[in-house]
Amino acid sequence: CRVPLDQATLMLYQNRTADAIRIYQQSLRELRANPRGRLCPSAALLQTRIGIAHRVAGNLAEARAVLEQAVVAEGHDEEKLRARLEL
């Protein structure tokens, strides 16, 4: 999972938000399909990054909806805190 997340982050910095969102969403789908024995980030972290990408793209309603999901998703408190701060 690390390489796709690094790619998505780079794309976000390059204002390629649609590509970043696509990669983050694919990682989230993979996480949900195989939640055990993974070295992937949590759903809360992935959803937070998706929300940030939507905010950068100017899709504020979508960003808010995804970030609200991130706050209650599986993950560490620190990851959920980031989602709350983004909201």
Side-chain angles (χ1 to χ4, degrees):
C1 281
R2 181 108 176 116
V3 171
L5 293 180
D6 290 345
Q7 289 172 339
T9 302
L10 180 61
M11 288 180 184
L12 190 58
Y13 285 129
Q14 295 172 342
N15 277 335
R16 296 173 56 191
T17 55
D19 292 327
I21 291 168
R22 181 182 48 77
I23 292 171
Y24 287 137
Q25 288 174 334
Q26 179 61 37
S27 294
L28 185 59
R29 281 191 296 275
E30 290 173 10
L31 172 70
R32 288 179 174 155
N34 186 18
R36 296 177 196 243
R38 68 190 189 290
L39 296 175
C40 298
S42 70
L45 178 63
L46 288 169
Q47 288 178 308
T48 299
R49 290 191 179 188
I50 293 168
I52 291 168
H54 277 296
R55 178 181 49 77
V56 170
N59 305 325
L60 300 182
E62 186 66 25
R64 181 179 184 86
V66 174
L67 289 167
E68 286 174 346
Q69 293 172 4
V71 169
V72 296
E74 173 271 325
H76 299 287
D77 288 340
E78 295 84 10
E79 295 163 345
K80 294 177 182 186
L81 176 61
R82 176 64 189 259
R84 286 186 193 101
L85 290 172
E86 288 293 333
L87 280 168

